[in-house]
């Protein structure tokens, strides 16, 4: 166990507070029970040193309580008979584990292994694991199977400008921006419901609280499905994740709240979102933002400061379906038969937002090889670079749909963390590629 509180006691006795992943415990160390050398080690060892302690578990002496008042439940301690020091921690530490930390995010991230020992940070990453576990469980219960697509690729899925080039033997290749093309090819191969949780790389020069250059994308792809079908999969999955966390992981939320309260921040409450989530179509969203007196035109992107206006009405999860085709990638289905006033310019692409922040993009896909080829030409991509992909649609192709969800952003809204760097173990941004 780790020493987490300074040693108390001099002379013949000493108390140390220990912790490991199962909890914390006081050790009572007394001259005579252990050797003089062991007693000295216990009295002088630095915080965060690790020990192996053998001894007997005993009830601690109960605290004094005013007459007539009930005693609190008994507490236990270990009365040590043998102490082995496993590793002495160096001093001073770059940041404290049990004290209030006054250092900035860079120092914390440089020393992430220590930062992680802090209770609320540790809880954050346990919750991250739960999100993935409950998400996986839910999709498997709906008949999805997990796939893994290559991360070394030769063609851009999400536009050619934000690729990280790499040398692949004697040719050029890139780090994958998303599993998009491969999850679709898996569906073309009769794996009708697939999901993937894997890294995506974007060479974007953003420096914001919600962009990283490497992030984990939680993707699905589903045959015989429309945009509406996969939005429903997503809302069921998110609602399941929230409900499982509420039922099973309140202690992790409590650890985060203990810290938030100490920082005078509102504690977080896990409210299971009711389904269906609201749908605010792109056209409605533009109108709503314009009605708030904010300048935005049909065809503009809905940026975070625009979404602030939507968040006044929709503060939690809501979908924004039916984006203009011109704003969506070539693989999205262009709904030319859509008969609204937009003259057939809409697509079956959607986003999921939580308040101001985008969590997901998705949509129904174009499944006709000739239209896909034209779509590539329309956005100045060379169809020859996409032969391996277009070929997948030449021999029968089911209509299909899917989405990609940013895991770090979902954890950010669950835990009230104000920055995705908080929710990624070792974040990668423009300035950071270590540790
Ligand atoms: P998109 O590019 O919108 O769509 O990405 C999907 C989701 O991934 C998250 N995300 C990011 N998170 C952190 N840093 C970034 N730089 C970053 N970029 C994206 C966001 C976003 O909503 N192929 C499509 C998905 C699909 O249609 O299936 C895609 O990748 O939460």
């Amino acid at each position: 166990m780790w020493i987490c509180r300074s040693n108390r006691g001099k002379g013949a006795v000493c108390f140390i507070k220990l912790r490991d992943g199962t909890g914390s415990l006081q050790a009572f160390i007394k001259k005579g029970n252990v050797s003089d050398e062991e007693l000295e080690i216990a009295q002088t060892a630095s915080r965060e040193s690790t020990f192996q302690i053998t001894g007997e578990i005993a009830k601690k002496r109960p605290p004094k309580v005013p007459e007539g008042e009930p005693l609190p439940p008994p507490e236990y301690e270990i009365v040590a008979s043998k102490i082995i020091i496993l590793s002495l921690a160096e001093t001073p530490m770059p940041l404290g584990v049990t004290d209030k930390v006054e250092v900035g995010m860079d120092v914390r991230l440089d020393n992430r292994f220590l930062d992680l020992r802090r209770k609320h940070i540790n809880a954050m990453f346990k919750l991250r694991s739960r999100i993935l576990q409950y998400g996986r469980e839910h999709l498997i219960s709906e008949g999805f199977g997990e796939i893994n697509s290559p991360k070394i690729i030769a063609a851009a899925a999400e536009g050619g400008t934000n690729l990280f080039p790499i040398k692949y033997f004697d040719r050029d290749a890139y780090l994958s921006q998303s599993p998009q093309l491969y999850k679709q090819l898996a569906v073309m191969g009769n794996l009708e419901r697939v999901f993937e949780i894997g890294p995506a790389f974007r060479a974007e020069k953003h420096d914001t609280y919600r962009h990283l250059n490497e992030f984990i994308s939680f993707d699905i792809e589903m045959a015989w499905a429309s945009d509406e079908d996969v939005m429903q999969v997503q809302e069921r999955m998110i609602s399941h994740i929230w409900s499982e966390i509420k039922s099973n992981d309140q202690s992790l939320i409590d650890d985060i709240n203990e810290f938030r309260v100490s920082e005078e921040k509102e504690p977080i409450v896990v409210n299971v979102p009711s389904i269906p989530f609201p749908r605010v179509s792109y056209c409605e969203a533009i109108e709503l933002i314009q009605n708030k007196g904010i300048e935005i035109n049909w065809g503009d992107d809905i940026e975070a400061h625009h979404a602030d206006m939507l968040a006044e009405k929709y503060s939690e999860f809501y979908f924004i379906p039916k984006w203009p085709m011109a704003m969506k990638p070539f693989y999205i289905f262009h709904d030319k038969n859509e008969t609204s006033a937009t003259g057939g310019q809409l697509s079956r692409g959607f986003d999921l937002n939580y308040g101001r922040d985008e969590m997901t993009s998705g949509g129904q896909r174009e499944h006709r090889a000739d239209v896909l080829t034209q779509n590539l030409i329309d956005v100045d991509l060379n169809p020859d670079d996409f032969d391996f992909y277009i070929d997948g649609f030449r021999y029968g192709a089911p209509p299909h749909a899917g989405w990609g969800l940013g895991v770090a952003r979902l954890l950010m809204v669950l835990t009230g963390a104000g920055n995705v760097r908080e929710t990624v173990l070792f974040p990668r941004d423009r300035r950071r590629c270590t540790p």
Side-chain angles (χ1 to χ4, degrees):
M1 294 179 108
W2 271 284
I3 291 189
C4 65
R5 198 169 293 156
S6 59
N7 319 349
R8 289 191 290 120
K10 286 208 167 63
V13 293
C14 153
F15 300 93
I16 42 182
K17 183 94 184 261
L18 301 163
R19 65 154 209 286
D20 69 7
T22 60
S24 61
L25 187 67
Q26 176 171 281
F28 173 57
I29 297 148
K30 189 174 167 201
K31 193 178 166 87
N33 289 355
V34 296
S35 71
D36 289 357
E37 199 191 358
E38 286 170 314
L39 179 64
E40 195 189 330
I41 287 175
Q43 281 170 334
T44 55
S46 44
R47 282 188 195 194
E48 298 303 307
S49 298
T50 52
F51 281 91
Q52 180 182 325
I53 296 191
T54 311
E56 270 186 20
I57 298 294
K59 256 190 212 166
K60 272 163 84 171
R61 194 181 304 152
K64 286 203 176 80
V65 292
E67 238 184 74
E69 278 195 18
L71 280 173
E75 284 190 40
Y76 294 88
E77 64 184 0
I78 179 165
V79 180
S81 54
K82 187 166 179 56
I83 300 176
I84 300 173
I85 186 135
L86 301 173
S87 157
L88 262 187
E90 289 181 23
T91 55
M93 292 198 301
L95 62 100
V97 170
T98 43
D99 309 319
K100 211 170 164 63
V101 169
E102 303 292 354
V103 298
M105 175 150 334
D106 274 334
V107 176
R108 288 180 42 216
L109 292 179
D110 286 342
N111 299 280
R112 191 57 143 171
F113 61 96
L114 277 179
D115 192 43
L116 277 170
R117 290 186 200 173
R118 299 163 72 208
K119 202 158 66 165
H120 66 287
I121 306 284
N122 206 274
M124 169 87 78
F125 287 94
K126 287 180 176 147
L127 279 171
R128 192 178 211 278
S129 163
R130 296 303 165 92
I131 285 184
L132 299 181
Q133 177 191 336
Y134 301 140
R136 259 197 184 95
E137 276 168 14
H138 181 77
L139 290 178
I140 290 168
S141 80
E142 292 208 13
F144 286 80
E146 189 159 3
I147 57 166
N148 301 101
S149 64
K151 301 304 159 209
I152 299 174
I153 51 137
E158 310 296 339
T161 55
N162 55 10
L163 286 162
F164 281 115
I166 56 166
K167 205 84 212 140
Y168 188 64
F169 302 107
D170 53 358
R171 58 175 289 189
D172 292 330
Y174 307 97
L175 293 178
S176 165
Q177 297 162 304
S178 112
Q180 185 63 40
L181 309 185
Y182 296 95
K183 62 180 182 170
Q184 288 187 259
L185 287 177
V187 168
M188 293 307 115
N190 204 20
L191 293 173
E192 289 190 342
R193 291 180 177 209
V194 295
F195 74 95
E196 173 164 1
I197 303 173
F201 304 90
R202 306 271 170 102
E204 294 162 344
K205 291 199 170 150
H206 292 301
D207 191 5
T208 76
Y209 69 94
R210 60 182 192 177
H211 287 95
L212 292 173
N213 296 109
E214 176 180 354
F215 63 94
I216 296 297
S217 187
F218 194 147
D219 280 76
I220 74 157
E221 203 63 30
M222 182 175 172
W224 319 112
S226 66
D227 45 349
E228 178 56 33
D229 294 325
V230 292
M231 283 192 273
Q232 289 179 16
V233 173
Q234 175 142 90
E235 63 197 359
R236 286 194 294 269
M237 181 182 97
I238 290 179
S239 170
H240 173 79
I241 294 173
W242 254 239
S243 136
E244 289 297 293
I245 285 175
K246 194 176 174 69
S247 313
N248 308 326
D249 304 308
Q250 190 54 44
S251 65
L252 298 173
I253 301 287
D254 291 345
D255 286 346
I256 290 175
N257 280 341
E258 193 184 306
F259 174 77
R260 288 180 69 84
V261 169
S262 77
E263 295 277 293
E264 291 171 11
K265 291 188 181 143
E266 282 287 302
I268 47 170
V269 180
V270 182
N271 288 321
V272 180
S274 50
I275 55 176
F277 297 167
R279 269 91 167 136
V280 188
S281 74
Y282 173 84
C283 296
E284 287 165 341
I286 294 292
E287 217 178 293
L288 220 147
I289 298 163
Q290 284 171 340
N291 289 344
K292 298 267 180 187
I294 304 291
E295 200 178 315
I296 189 167
N297 295 315
W298 197 93
D300 288 346
D301 197 5
I302 299 176
E303 294 176 17
H305 69 279
H306 299 127
D308 279 336
M309 301 299 114
L310 305 177
E312 285 178 13
K313 186 162 177 197
Y314 304 102
S315 58
E316 299 191 350
F317 291 108
Y318 60 97
F319 285 109
I320 310 180
K322 298 188 194 311
W323 283 68
M325 184 62 199
M327 305 177 67
K328 284 290 168 189
F330 68 88
Y331 50 78
I332 292 287
F333 190 91
H334 186 168
D335 201 354
K336 290 189 173 146
N337 294 331
E338 216 279 334
T339 51
S340 72
T342 60
Q345 294 184 69
L346 297 182
S347 74
R348 298 239 177 106
F350 65 85
D351 282 1
L352 174 77
N353 268 32
Y354 185 94
R356 79 187 313 246
D357 292 317
E358 178 195 315
M359 301 285 112
T360 300
S361 290
Q364 183 173 331
R365 318 305 189 182
E366 179 53 68
H367 61 280
R368 295 159 297 180
D370 54 337
V371 184
L372 261 178
T373 306
Q374 189 56 48
N375 283 0
L376 283 165
I377 294 167
D378 289 349
V379 294
D380 285 335
L381 289 169
N382 182 356
D384 293 346
D385 294 340
F386 290 83
D387 275 350
F388 73 95
Y389 170 70
I390 306 278
D391 284 351
F393 298 82
R394 294 192 197 284
Y395 310 99
H400 60 291
W403 41 254
L405 162 72
V407 172
R409 291 193 187 175
L410 196 63
L411 183 60
M412 183 174 84
V413 301
L414 174 72
T415 60
N419 192 319
V420 280
R421 288 163 187 76
E422 293 283 358
T423 63
V424 173
L425 259 186
F426 297 104
R428 293 289 179 257
D429 62 23
R430 270 172 81 188
R431 291 173 300 116
R432 178 176 289 282
C433 74
T434 54

